[in-house]
Each structure stands twice: as C-alpha cells, then as structure tokens.
C-alpha cells in the first residue's frame, strides 16, 4: 500500500506554536522532507524526535520529486516541512503536491502557523476578503503590474518582504497606495514582535533600518468604484478591466 505525504506546518518563531497532530505525524512518519535539514533538525531536537531527513528546496531537480514520490509509492509515509510556517505558501512543495496528486498519492494537510494569516488577523485591516501576493517580483514590469493591482484593489492586499528590500518596497507603495493604511507585522510570535501602523510614507520615517521578518498588510482602495478612474491613464483603465476578466 502506498504511503501518504503530510504537509506539516511548523512554527514561524515561537517553538510552542506546533499542533499536537503535527507532533504525532512527525513522530509516526518514515521520512521528513525538509527545506533546510539543519533548520528542521533544531525543531526535531526540541521535540525529541529522531527521523531520517532528506532536503528539498527551490533549486532541487525534478528527479528529486520523482524520488520522493517513489518513496511514497513504496509505502513510506512522508512529512514535508519548510523552514517556517506552512509548506507551499511562498515555500517549496507545490510541485511535490501536484505530482503526488497526479500519481494518486494521498496528500494530507496538517495546518498550523502561517505568517500571512497571523499578520492579517492582528492588523485591524478588513480580513473578510484579501489577496495574497507573496513576494513582489523584482522584474520591473511585473512588479509594476502587481503594484497597480494593489493600487486598484477593492480587497486587502498582503505581501511578504525581506528586511533588506523593505525600504524599496515602501518607497514603491508610497507611490501606489498614497495615504492608505498599512500594517507592518514584524517578527510575529518572536520576542520583538510588533505591529507598526501608518501610511507608506509614515512607515518609512518610523523604520530606518529594518531588521527581522516582515509581512505587509495593505488596506483596500477606498470608494473603489467612485474615485479610481479619475486618476487612471487610458492604459491603466484598460488594464483594470483586463485584470477583472477571468
Ligand atoms: N511558509 C511561510 C508561511 O507559512 O508564512 C512563509 C515562508 S516565506 C519564504 C518567508 C517570509 O514569510 C518572510 O520573508 C516574511 O515575509 C514572512 N514571515 C515568516 N515568518 C515571519 C514572522 N515570524 N514574522 C513576520 N513575517 C514572517
């Protein structure tokens, strides 16, 4: 009988944020597939669990996916974990999941910490509808498209950002979101956890040297249908309707 692939969410800072079910699964599986085995070893040692581990990261070759699927086919139960939070969310694993489903291997979610959800629920910004954009692209054309999407969005937008790129991203957001409210959720669940509120411009004044991990939660555009067309170029107007077309 084939084994299963468990997608196990792990803490994003505080090691106590692991579910009882995640611990049970990590104890029972045959192999742990980890983004960085050294990182996961710290967690397993903390939980007093000893397991064979193999690494799987964003540069892993397709044949590694094949090996993992073959192990599941031969009856091994596998836990897939990333360095922090929920695997697949801005982390490796999506290809394993797709391939496993194609090959008839059962994929089982073990939900838990996820930085975007922790940031959103603590931000005080509308959580009813939101768009998660992951990390903004570095390519200037696709980056502009994403920023325009945020500018015109009638939903809360959430992005991830590395500390050394935060000031550039706030500079871009200043242009595209003007006076909209933004919450920087910093070091969630860690000692220096904080939620910093302001416009992009105000946040740039408050944070000169960003340190730690950040999630950026951006309020939706106000009076979406009344105002936005006034400030749009013809091209932006066209792109707005293109984006709406599914
Ligand atoms: N899979 C993870 C999840 O479920 O949230 C996300 C992994 S992604 C590679 C890493 C990014 O998540 C960081 O650059 C940061 O934007 C965000 N992040 C992760 N942990 C965080 C924390 N404790 N506080 C704030 N942001 C965090």
């Amino acid at each position: 009988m084939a084994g299963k692939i468990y997608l196990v969410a792990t803490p994003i800072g505080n090691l106590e944020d692991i579910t009882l079910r995640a611990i049970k699964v990590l104890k029972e599986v045959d192999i742990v597939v980890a983004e960085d085995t050294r990182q996961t070893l710290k967690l397993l040692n903390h939980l007093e669990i000893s397991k064979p581990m193999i690494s799987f990261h964003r540069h892993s070759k397709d044949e590694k996916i094949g090996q993992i699927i073959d192990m599941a086919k031969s009856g091994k139960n596998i836990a897939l974990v990333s360095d922090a939070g929920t695997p697949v969310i801005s982390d490796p694993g999506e290809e394993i999941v797709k391939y496993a489903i194609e090959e008839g291997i059962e994929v089982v979610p073990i939900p838990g910490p996820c930085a975007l959800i922790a940031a959103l629920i603590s931000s005080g910004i509308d959580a009813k509808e939101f768009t998660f954009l992951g990390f903004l692209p570095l390519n200037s054309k696709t980056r502009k498209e994403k920023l325009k999407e945020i500018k015109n969005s009638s939903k809360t937008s959430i992005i991830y950002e590395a500390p050394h790129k935060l000031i550039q991203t706030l500079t871009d957001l200043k242009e595209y979101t003007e006076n909209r409210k933004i919450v920087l959720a910093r070091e969630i669940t860690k000692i220096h956890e904080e939620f910093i509120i302001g416009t992009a411009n105000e946040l740039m004044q408050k944070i000169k040297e960003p340190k730690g991990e950040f999630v950026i939660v951006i309020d939706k555009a106000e009076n979406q249908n009344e105002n936005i067309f006034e400030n749009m170029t013809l091209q932006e107007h066209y792109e707005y309707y293109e984006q709406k077309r599914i």
Side-chain angles (χ1 to χ4, degrees):
M1 204 176 106
K4 296 179 186 177
I5 296 183
Y6 296 89
L7 307 174
V8 182
T10 57
I12 55 169
N14 189 325
L15 288 182
E16 290 182 4
D17 291 333
I18 184 144
T19 68
L20 296 174
R21 190 166 171 230
I23 297 171
K24 185 168 180 278
V25 166
L26 288 170
K27 279 185 180 157
E28 289 176 358
V29 289
D30 300 293
I31 300 157
V32 175
V33 174
E35 184 182 5
D36 178 346
T37 51
R38 289 163 306 178
Q39 194 64 27
T40 300
L41 187 62
K42 286 184 207 158
L43 176 70
L44 294 185
N45 285 343
H46 174 77
L47 298 170
E48 297 179 352
I49 296 171
S50 169
K51 281 290 153 183
M53 273 196 280
I54 58 170
S55 71
F56 181 79
H57 44 77
R58 59 192 84 249
H59 303 298
S60 292
K61 302 260 182 303
D62 284 354
E63 59 194 58
K64 193 81 173 258
I65 301 179
Q67 285 168 12
I68 293 165
I69 300 298
D70 284 347
M71 283 191 280
K73 279 185 179 166
S74 72
K76 302 272 188 235
N77 285 312
I78 296 169
L80 174 72
V81 300
S82 62
D83 287 352
T86 301
V88 181
I89 301 297
S90 293
D91 265 340
E94 192 169 341
E95 294 305 319
I96 294 179
V97 172
K98 275 189 201 155
Y99 197 31
I101 293 168
E102 276 167 27
E103 293 294 310
I105 303 290
E106 194 177 339
V107 174
V108 185
I110 309 294
C114 183
L116 79 102
I117 298 297
L120 176 66
I121 60 171
S122 332
S123 68
I125 293 181
D126 190 348
K128 283 189 282 303
E129 288 188 276
F130 62 91
T131 306
F132 173 59
L133 296 113
F135 291 94
L136 284 181
L138 295 179
N139 170 285
S140 66
K141 184 170 176 282
T142 42
R143 188 176 175 92
K144 265 190 187 159
E145 282 166 10
K146 293 286 168 197
L147 286 161
K148 276 185 198 164
E149 201 179 317
I150 293 171
K151 177 180 174 179
N152 298 325
S153 182
S154 57
K155 297 173 186 164
T156 298
S157 300
I158 306 172
I159 52 182
Y160 283 165
E161 196 46 284
H164 63 285
K165 295 188 191 138
L166 186 73
I167 296 296
Q168 181 57 56
T169 296
L170 288 176
T171 308
D172 292 342
L173 287 174
K174 186 175 148 186
E175 184 186 336
Y176 285 84
T177 65
E178 296 179 349
N179 290 324
R180 267 150 71 183
K181 179 176 164 186
I182 296 179
V183 175
L184 292 181
R186 175 174 174 264
E187 293 285 88
I188 305 167
T189 77
K190 302 186 197 176
I191 296 169
H192 298 294
E193 175 184 88
E194 58 179 335
F195 299 91
I196 314 161
I197 304 171
T199 62
N201 193 25
E202 287 165 351
L203 292 170
M204 284 169 70
Q205 307 306 318
K206 287 185 192 175
I207 301 175
K208 299 280 183 211
E209 287 176 37
K211 287 198 187 95
E213 297 196 276
F214 291 89
V215 180
I216 309 176
V217 185
I218 306 153
D219 205 357
K220 60 181 177 288
E222 277 302 324
N223 301 324
Q224 180 60 14
N225 294 324
E226 290 167 29
N227 288 338
I228 55 165
F229 300 118
E230 282 175 20
N231 301 322
M232 276 189 194
T233 62
L234 194 59
Q235 178 64 21
E236 283 176 347
H237 204 127
Y238 170 78
E239 285 168 3
Y240 174 83
Y241 281 109
E242 275 292 291
Q243 273 172 20
K244 294 236 156 214
R245 237 174 32 177
I246 309 262

